[in-house]
Structure formats: C-alpha cells, structure tokens
Amino acid sequence: MAGQSPGRSALIALLVAIPVLGLVGITTVDASNVATPAERVVLELGSTEARVQIVSAPEPKLIQAPLNDGSWGTRDDIADADALQSIEPTPVAAASLFSKGTSMLSIRSTAVVAETKDGLGSFSAVQGQPWDPAFAGKWDVTAGSAPTNDEQIMVTAATLDRLGVKLGSTATFAAPVVASFTISGTIRSATLDDSVVAFYGLPGVFDGVMPDDADLMTEWYLPDTPLTWSQIRDLNPRGATVLSRNVLLDPPPAGSSPFDGGSSGDFVDLFLVLLGAFALFEVALLAGAAFTVGARTQQRTLATLASVGGDRRMLFRVMSFGGIILGSLGAALGTVLGLGAAWIFMQFSANGSASRYPGFHLDLLSLLVIAAFAVLAGWCAAAVPARAAGRIDVLAALRGAQRPPRVTRRRPVAGLVLLVLGAVIAVTGGLVELAAFAPTYQMGLANFGIGLIVAGPVIMQIGAVFVAPLILRWAARLASRFGPGARLATRDVARNPGRSVPALAAIMSCVFVATFAMTLISTAQLNSTKDYTYPVPLNTAWVGLNAYGNEPPYEFVMQDSGPEVVEALDSAFPDAHARLLSSAADPPGDLQFSNPEAGAVEADAATSANATAADGVPVFAYPRINPGTVCPSDADQNDMATTEMRTDIRCPTPYYLDMRMSSGNDHIWVGDLDDFAAILGEPVSEQSRATLAAGGAVSTYEQYLADETVIVDWMTSLDSTDSPDRSVTLAATLQQPEHPLPYAVFMLESTADSMKLDYRPTMVISSLGTAPTQAEKDHVLGTVTAVSPNLNVQVEPGPQVFGASWTWALLGLTAVIALVTASITIGLARADGHRDNAVLTSLGASPRVRRAFGFWQAVVIVGLGSVIGVLLGLVPSLALSLTRDTAGLSLLPFAPPWLQLALIVVAVPAVVAVGGALTAGGNRTRFSNRAAFD
C-alpha cells in the first residue's frame, strides 16, 4: 500500500531520514574527533617508543595514569618501604634512568618575542630535534631543510606570512635572547592548526638553556627503547612519568592506576540520546499525521480487504508494516546522507591539525541503534492509524462516506487530570530541590527533584495532547467571527484531529524544549554575570609583578621591573597612561593560593621590608573586617557546622572578604589619586578625596568600615589567634566601584608612611576605555615578554556574553522547525481535503477565501502549539527557581528571555500563516473533473 501513494510515502521516508541524517552526522563527527590507539601513538610519539618527563623529585608514592603521562599523583598505599630509605632528595637527570648509550631526543618549549610585519609579538618556540625522522607523523618537514647549526631555525607556514618573510630570510628575536636566525625550512605539527605561529630550533638556541640544565621542563623521547607498564611503574618513584607506545597499543587492565580517569564522552552521549529521542518523537508525530491521511484516502482499499475476510489483525499488519518499510528506507537514506554530510563537514571544518580529526571513524553500534530507533519511529507512526483502520465501517467506506470523529468527554477530562498532576509533580520537584539545598546539600535528593521537575511538564504535554481536540473546537467557534475563510479553516482543523493534533503536538514539544533551553541559558547568563569576579575594571590591561620563576627553586618572586612594564604598556597603548600600583604584603595563611607553602614564599620575599614583632617574627598589615558583617565562624571555618552556614544570612562569607580564601591579592593599596581612579575604573568621589587628603583611607567594601573608621592590624599570619602586634585606626569612607574588585582599602603614600606601613610595587595597570585590537594585543604581549618572559599581560574582557546568541539561535531553529511542521501539516490537509476544495471551487469560492483558509489553518495549529509550548516550557524553570540560598535569593533565578518568547508566540505563527496564505491562492481544482469528488 505504500507504493500506491509514492508522494506521501516519499514524504514519510524523508521525515524519518532527516533526523537520522543529523544524528548519524553528529555521531560520526564526534567519533572522528577521538583518535584510535594507533593514531594517538603517531600524534603523541611519532615513530619513537616512549616519552619520559621528570615531574618531581623522587617520590616512592608517585603513580601515573597508564595512558596519560600528564595525570599523576601520590598514593600512600603504594609506597615501597625500601624505596623510602634510598630515595634521592633532588630530581634526577632523565639520562640516569636508563643504561649508558641509550638514544634520547629532547624537546623543550619556551616563549619568544619576535619581530613581525606589524611589530613585536609573543609566540611559542620548540627547542630540540623535531625534524628528526623518529618524529615522523608528529612533526613533518614540509619545505626547505632542517637546521644544521645554531644560526638556522624552522617555522610553521603561517609564520612566514605573519613575519612577512620567505624561506632564506632572517627572523629577529627580542627575547629571551636578542638574536637573528635564518629560516631554513617549514615544519608542520600534527597538534597545531594551520594558523598557528611557532618557531623550531636546536636545543638552547632561543633561551640559552640546554635540556640537561632544565630536566623538569624537558620532554625526552626514546627512539628505540620500548617500555612496558611494569617498567613505567618502576620509573614513577624516581619522579618520572612515561607515555609508552606499548602501553598505548596494549593498555593494562582498568584500575591499574587510581588516575585512570573516567570517560569524557558521557555528556555527548547523553546529549545525543536526548536529541535523538526528541527528533524521533517529532518524526513519529508528523509521520503519524501522514499515515492518518493515507488511511483515509485508502479506506476503500482497506474496506475491500475487510469485506473478503481480512480481520482487524490483518488490517493492522498491513498498515503498520508500511511504517516499517518506510522507516527502513528513511533510516538507510538518512545514514548514507549523514555519512556524506559528516565527511563534507569535516573537510570544511578541518583546521590542519591532525588531532582534530585523526581519521574518519564509524561508530557502528551507534549507527545500528539510530537505524533501529528510526524503524521503530516509523512503526509507531503507523500504529495509531493502523489501529483505527481495524475499526473501519466497511459499508460506509465502500460508499466513500467520511464521518466526523466522535466527540467524547473522557479524553478532555483525562487531559485536564494529567495537566493538574504534571503541575503538582513539577512544583513538588521544586520543593524537593529546595529541601535538597538546606540545611546540607543532598545529591540524591537533588537528582530526584530534577527528575520530578522534568517529568511534570512531560506529563502536562501528554495532557495537553488529550485536551487539544477540545481546544481546537473552541478555537473554531471563536474564529468563526472572522469571516468564511477563518470559519472553514478552523472547522476543518477541528474536524480532523487525526492530522491536526499531531502537528500541534509536534510544534508544542519543539517550543517546549526551546523555551526551557532558552530560560536555562538566560539563567546561566544571569548567574555568570552576577558571580563573575573582576580582577581589574573592564577593558583594563594589567600585569602582576609577582611572577613564577622557571628556575629552581621554582617559586613566586616579586619582580622589580615595574617601571619597564609601565613603559611597555605605554608603548603598546599610547593613548592610555599606565600606573604602577603598590600594596602592602598580606600575612601568610595556610590556604593562600590553595597551597600551604605559597603564602610562606610571599612572606619570605617581603620579610626584609616588613616590621618585626618583639620576638623577631615578621608582621604584616591587614584591614580588620567588621565582625558583625561576616560569618561568625570564619575564624575556624573548616570546623564550622554546615547548618550554621545554611541558616546564617552572612554565611558563607563572600570570597573577596574571606581572609582565608582571598589572599591572591593584597588588601591594602597605596598610591595617589590617579592610582585610585585606575583601581576603581571611575573618578574618585569628592568625599573620598577629602578623606584621603585628611590622612584617612577609603574602603571599597562596607564590611571593612566600623563607625566610619578602618582598623589596620599588624599580625604574623592570617591564622594567628594572638592579639595583633599593633593596630592603627584611620578615618574612612566608602566608595564602591560598579563591580566588586579585589582592592579592599586604599590610602595615600603620606598616610602609609606616617603609620610606618611597608609597601612595594606589585602591579601595573592601564585603563584602555575600549577593547584592544588583535594587533594591540600582540604588541603589548611582545613588549611585556621582552621585559621578562615570566610576566603575563592580560586585558579584562568582562564576563562572557553567551545568552543572547544562544537564545536567538534557538529562536531561529524553532522557527525553522515550526515552518517545516506547518508546511507538512498544511500540505497533508490540502491533500486530504481535495474534495472539499473542489466543492468550494464549484460553489464559486474566490482566491481570497482560499488564502484565508490557508492563513487561519496555520494560525490555529502553529499559534496554539506555540502558546501551549511556551507555557509548559516555563514550568520547569519556575520550579527550579524555588531553590534558595541563605540570603533568600534564588540559586537559579527565573529569568526568561521575554522578547524571544514573545516572538515565538506572535511572530513565528504570523510568518507561517502568511506563507500558508500565499501558497493557497493558486490552488484551484477543476470541478469538471469527477475524480476530484471521489
């Protein structure tokens, strides 16, 4: 029977093929992103056997992940008692781990500053022998020849254009060493895309540091020395981690290391499952409408079959088997087109990096599952009309009579019950989420609440489908006042729920998902903006002078190159004026930088510049927080009862006020008024100017003020329970910047000197006013790196803005789906109602009436589907917003994008309706054709 209506059958097969195409394409691209073991060996090791890195001093408890030499740590239960007695106190040389004469190739990366055709730029550089044949596949020479001495280098192809040079030209470097090199050839890295600028030279040519002098920063490759997993386990206690060809190709059993890690594809798999379920649900609805129309047009054939002995089971099999056939055809067509689309997409999106698409991989299991669900969707689409075909009135069908569907109260009542039940379940889920967050967070209860929040609207959608025929009848009565076209169209929609309700349900479910996703994105954007921490004001370039050294003992050291950094920023941004800011060192604390030793490093560096207590221990200045404004248990927060944090509105103390967690920035800043204006990102108020001029201080947070004063304590550490060595009280005022900034208290240099406060330059900032261009970013990066490779310049861009782009994209996708759905529905309605159209034409209906017919069909189906979908889509977001923090604020605030939702409800139906009207005017049927009435 599927062959009797080739057009409709092709439509159903195409409906099945479209989501299969998308799912197969996404699955194939995702699988092609993951390298096979053989491909990963080439990407990571080239033709070598292993890569060895010295990551720490010898440690008997050290163990690594078998397949990732960058994932390692220590475990007490693997320590070897004998090794504890013989362990070396300092890192060993990589060469000492292997027998004398073992061939080893070194690779060490560094940052360089080179002259480009636009100025200076900071780029990455590799020192070693990457052009060696042992690295084939990882690095490959593409033009020219390999360097033969320290005066020659290789570059990537993009570097030639960036520098404005060609092979044989000279590249000039400003840092780490000032030198010029001849470009002897180009090289391609498997892990870099074609646009990356990079330099390659012999060991030590760029920074003068040889591999043996920087083992901790060097990768050592073994061209002909295979290593097994047991040998790697023996090397781990010596402070070395290894990536081995043998282990990659033949990994040890799972659980061989506590650092094996989990699968990173779980989220992608979940996304594909949800996307596939939604797409195939849409297909089942629309294909079901097509099968319903097909069953109506083939009712005589089915009646004939029933009149010669065909029972209900036979009629059901005839109709449902058509769904299996068309579902299989759609699955096959979609799979072929999906594979082709994936290949084309990969060709266009490839960026030259072999690590992006190591190969064209087919996930056969996923493809089979997608095809099976596509066939199931085809069968489900045919099952409902097939069941109705089994109850056909044979005599009426043979006469060609079509009775309107019987109206019952049972379905609308059941629908209303489901709507109420779904709403109750959703609200209950929100209340469960609220309970899950107080007094302590309970993950199991929270997951249960989310399940209820999702299940509630789904049940409400099922209820809406049951109530939809009643709503369509009400719409028909209401629209009958708007002329004959509206009356005829809405009555046609109401009298044919078999094709109208699935279309309405398809649009409703699509809009529901889009509304829920849009609202979640808007909520995430709101929280992201609210929780964003500004290190400096917006569009401000800044350089912290506390830099990490790349030489032993590898710790933070305060640089004395502040004036040079100021000159560098001024040269890059001549319209701005860089400021060298000074601050007083914070007392050390156990949690500083999340490293127990980091605070001591900073304290030791500042010891000589700070006052000392009577017992000779250095003391540091720190502003006292008004104890009435913060969590009362901050002094011992690790032992604080969780219930207190959940019941006290002040708990937990915000990050930028918690003295145990905000030590990444000093709290007392010293300078002039221009410095303070640069810190604030706004002019200094008259009140602040007067306070500073009178020898007072200005706080950027009200929590540091007590009776219009600020108290500065000198203490040995943040964790000290002793009384401060001394305290000074200053008159103070409050000036809060637009966004919270990590600068607690500011005072003039004269005030700091009068209270014998020790301070030193710690940061350089430059207020730009607008976002810099890429050329300006390159220039400032190069000039700052030229001052010191250890310094890093950043420009504050503000929180990432993603909500608007994603919500508009979802709006566009929803409009496309609604347009396609409405087009299919209206097309099926016209095919099903060709006799009605013939009758209208014979009675003299004008093109205007037919256009109104198409217009109101779209308005009712798309409009009602959009309104119901938006209302139901807001339910889960509203339920999630019931969660509260200790301040009574919602953790997931209800923040729908009202403009986009209004466009879904108004603009999308209007566009579809206009399209339906424009395509209906010329649809004329010759009433002289008798077949039109049969």
Side-chain angles (χ1 to χ4, degrees):
M1 294 183 68
Q4 294 180 357
S5 302
R8 187 164 47 250
S9 298
L11 173 63
I12 295 173
L14 185 61
L15 286 174
V16 175
I18 290 175
V20 172
L21 184 156
L23 292 173
V24 168
I26 294 174
T27 301
T28 303
V29 172
D30 180 57
S32 300
N33 270 315
V34 181
T36 63
E39 291 168 341
R40 189 183 171 199
V41 163
V42 176
L43 293 174
E44 297 275 6
L45 302 175
S47 300
T48 63
E49 293 293 336
R51 178 175 66 208
V52 181
Q53 298 182 77
I54 304 298
V55 296
S56 75
E59 168 58 66
K61 302 177 184 179
L62 191 146
I63 186 172
Q64 69 166 88
L67 306 181
N68 184 359
D69 55 342
S71 177
W72 56 273
T74 59
R75 285 283 299 269
D76 292 335
D77 55 350
I78 64 171
D80 185 349
D82 295 334
L84 287 172
Q85 304 298 324
S86 60
I87 205 70
E88 297 92 339
T90 58
V92 300
S96 67
L97 300 175
F98 305 98
S99 59
K100 187 177 181 179
T102 300
S103 177
M104 302 179 70
L105 299 174
S106 67
I107 293 293
R108 192 171 67 85
S109 298
T110 188
V112 297
V113 177
E115 291 185 5
T116 69
K117 59 184 179 182
D118 299 319
L120 291 176
S122 179
F123 310 101
S124 62
V126 173
Q127 301 172 109
Q129 307 90 17
W131 47 80
D132 191 285
F135 288 119
K138 182 176 178 66
W139 286 293
D140 296 294
V141 177
T142 56
S145 60
T148 58
N149 54 60
D150 289 349
E151 296 179 354
Q152 295 180 339
I153 62 171
M154 301 190 78
V155 298
T156 59
T159 307
L160 296 177
D161 179 65
R162 187 64 174 275
L163 270 60
V165 298
K166 58 184 180 180
L167 291 183
S169 299
T170 298
T172 302
F173 293 78
V177 296
V178 178
S180 296
F181 302 94
T182 300
I183 300 176
S184 63
T186 58
I187 191 170
R188 177 180 177 273
S189 172
T191 58
L192 301 180
D193 62 54
D194 292 338
S195 63
V196 172
V197 175
F199 299 87
Y200 300 83
L202 290 168
V205 298
F206 295 120
D207 60 7
V209 180
M210 299 305 292
D212 293 331
D213 299 329
D215 251 339
L216 288 177
M217 313 293 291
T218 303
E219 297 176 348
W220 296 93
Y221 291 82
L222 307 179
D224 49 17
T225 305
L227 294 176
T228 63
W229 175 237
S230 61
Q231 291 175 310
I232 294 173
R233 291 292 301 271
D234 292 337
L235 290 172
N236 286 161
R238 306 293 300 278
T241 61
V242 180
L243 186 67
S244 168
R245 175 184 294 269
N246 287 342
V247 176
L248 284 175
L249 297 178
D250 186 18
S256 298
S257 167
F259 301 99
D260 282 348
S263 172
S264 61
D266 293 343
F267 176 78
V268 176
D269 294 340
L270 177 62
F271 171 75
L272 289 176
V273 169
L274 294 177
L275 178 63
F278 169 70
L280 294 177
F281 174 69
E282 294 281 307
V283 166
L285 290 173
L286 294 178
F291 275 114
T292 299
V293 173
R296 288 165 62 91
T297 58
Q298 295 173 343
Q299 64 175 353
R300 285 189 177 181
T301 303
L302 295 173
T304 302
L305 182 62
S307 66
V308 295
D311 57 8
R312 290 186 176 184
R313 295 178 60 186
M314 177 177 290
L315 295 178
F316 180 84
R317 290 172 182 172
V318 169
M319 287 291 297
S320 61
F321 194 69
I324 295 177
I325 294 175
L326 296 178
S328 301
L329 290 176
L333 177 63
T335 300
V336 173
L337 294 178
L339 293 176
W343 185 86
I344 294 173
F345 174 82
M346 289 170 60
Q347 303 308 308
F348 279 99
S349 61
N351 58 6
S353 171
S355 60
R356 179 162 190 174
Y357 299 123
F360 188 74
H361 302 156
L362 302 183
D363 188 344
L364 295 180
L365 178 60
S366 297
L367 296 183
L368 290 175
V369 171
I370 292 171
F373 274 96
V375 174
L376 178 62
W379 180 83
C380 291
V384 174
R387 183 172 176 271
R391 300 193 300 268
I392 190 173
D393 185 336
V394 176
L395 294 179
L398 290 174
R399 293 198 312 268
Q402 294 184 359
R403 295 180 180 178
R406 186 172 54 187
V407 178
T408 64
R409 295 183 178 179
R410 185 169 55 186
R411 287 189 177 182
V413 171
L416 291 174
V417 171
L418 289 175
L419 283 171
V420 174
L421 178 62
V424 171
I425 290 176
V427 173
T428 303
L431 296 176
V432 171
E433 282 294 297
L434 177 61
F437 278 83
T440 58
Y441 178 72
Q442 305 171 63
M443 180 177 293
L445 191 61
N447 291 336
F448 178 66
I450 292 175
L452 292 178
I453 290 173
V454 173
V458 172
I459 295 175
M460 294 179 71
Q461 287 187 78
I462 298 174
V465 171
F466 282 138
V467 179
L470 177 62
I471 297 176
L472 291 176
R473 292 195 295 272
W474 288 348
R477 295 173 186 173
L478 181 63
S480 61
R481 308 172 184 176
F482 297 95
R487 182 169 60 253
L488 292 172
T490 53
R491 286 182 179 180
D492 177 77
V493 170
R495 290 182 70 253
N496 295 279
R499 53 176 160 84
S500 301
V501 172
L504 185 148
I507 293 175
M508 175 188 67
S509 62
C510 171
V511 172
F512 164 79
V513 173
T515 300
F516 184 34
M518 285 182 185
T519 307
L520 281 185
I521 290 172
S522 295
T523 299
Q525 177 69 81
L526 181 63
N527 280 342
S528 174
T529 303
K530 180 183 66 175
D531 299 335
Y532 184 81
T533 301
Y534 285 82
V536 292
L538 184 65
N539 293 325
T540 296
W542 62 286
V543 179
L545 300 180
N546 193 26
Y548 191 75
N550 57 3
E551 298 179 358
Y554 302 107
E555 56 191 25
F556 282 94
V557 177
M558 190 65 67
Q559 309 291 308
D560 57 2
S561 52
E564 292 83 354
V565 175
V566 170
E567 293 179 3
L569 292 183
D570 285 341
S571 67
F573 306 112
D575 294 334
H577 182 58
R579 311 294 304 180
L580 178 59
L581 306 181
S582 297
S583 61
D586 276 353
D590 287 342
L591 296 182
Q592 195 167 32
F593 304 109
S594 299
N595 182 342
E597 299 178 0
V601 170
E602 170 65 13
D604 291 342
T607 296
S608 61
N610 280 278
T612 57
D615 55 2
V617 178
V619 291
F620 303 84
Y622 195 85
R624 183 187 302 179
I625 297 179
N626 184 351
T629 63
V630 295
C631 190
S633 297
D634 276 344
D636 193 15
Q637 192 164 342
N638 286 339
D639 298 329
M640 180 175 55
T642 309
T643 54
E644 181 180 350
M645 291 183 62
R646 294 299 177 188
T647 57
D648 194 321
I649 193 175
R650 298 167 296 178
C651 299
T653 298
Y655 175 85
Y656 47 83
L657 296 177
D658 188 344
M659 63 188 301
R660 292 168 56 87
M661 298 299 294
S662 62
S663 302
N665 289 83
D666 293 332
H667 284 62
I668 301 177
W669 293 79
V670 180
D672 57 24
L673 292 177
D674 290 334
D675 294 336
F676 191 36
I679 286 176
L680 295 172
E682 61 187 33
V684 181
S685 68
E686 291 299 328
Q687 184 179 13
S688 297
R689 288 174 177 269
T691 301
L692 292 173
V698 177
S699 173
T700 59
Y701 297 103
E702 60 183 356
Q703 287 85 349
Y704 291 104
L705 290 177
D707 298 328
E708 297 184 348
T709 62
V710 164
I711 301 175
V712 179
D713 296 324
W714 273 258
M715 58 183 70
T716 57
S717 73
L718 290 175
D719 308 300
S720 176
T721 58
D722 298 332
S723 299
D725 183 71
R726 68 185 178 100
S727 300
V728 173
T729 301
L730 298 174
T733 188
L734 176 69
Q735 181 169 355
Q736 293 178 308
E738 180 181 1
H739 307 287
L741 295 169
Y743 312 98
V745 174
F746 183 86
M747 63 185 66
L748 298 179
E749 294 179 357
S750 57
T751 304
D753 294 337
S754 66
M755 57 191 295
K756 298 181 180 180
L757 177 71
D758 298 309
Y759 55 92
R760 76 283 190 232
T762 53
M763 180 183 290
V764 178
I765 66 174
S766 181
S767 302
L768 309 182
T770 59
T773 64
Q774 186 60 48
E776 289 175 328
K777 290 181 181 179
D778 289 344
H779 187 190
V780 71
L781 188 62
T783 55
V784 171
T785 306
V787 174
S788 173
N790 299 328
L791 295 177
N792 182 33
V793 59
Q794 302 178 60
V795 178
E796 175 53 41
Q800 183 181 6
V801 180
F802 56 85
S805 57
W806 277 102
T807 52
W808 284 112
L810 284 172
L811 173 62
L813 180 61
T814 303
V816 170
I817 295 177
L819 179 62
V820 172
T821 301
S823 300
I824 293 173
T825 303
I826 294 173
L828 290 174
R830 291 174 183 173
D832 188 36
H834 67 283
R835 292 190 301 176
D836 297 336
N837 189 39
V839 172
L840 286 175
T841 303
S842 66
L843 295 177
S846 65
R848 180 179 179 182
V849 173
R850 289 194 296 272
R851 280 193 292 268
F853 189 95
F855 178 87
W856 283 100
Q857 267 188 327
V859 167
V860 172
I861 294 175
V862 181
L864 288 177
S866 299
V867 170
I868 297 173
V870 166
L871 293 177
L872 296 183
L874 293 175
V875 171
S877 299
L878 188 60
L880 286 172
S881 68
L882 295 178
T883 57
R884 292 290 187 271
D885 59 14
T886 57
L889 301 177
S890 176
L891 295 174
L892 295 171
F894 185 64
W898 295 114
L899 175 60
Q900 287 87 340
L901 296 184
L903 290 176
I904 287 180
V905 172
V906 178
V908 172
V911 170
V912 176
V914 170
L918 294 177
T919 57
N923 185 19
R924 302 181 64 89
T925 304
R926 294 183 180 180
F927 59 86
S928 60
N929 184 359
R930 175 66 186 178
F933 298 92
D934 295 335

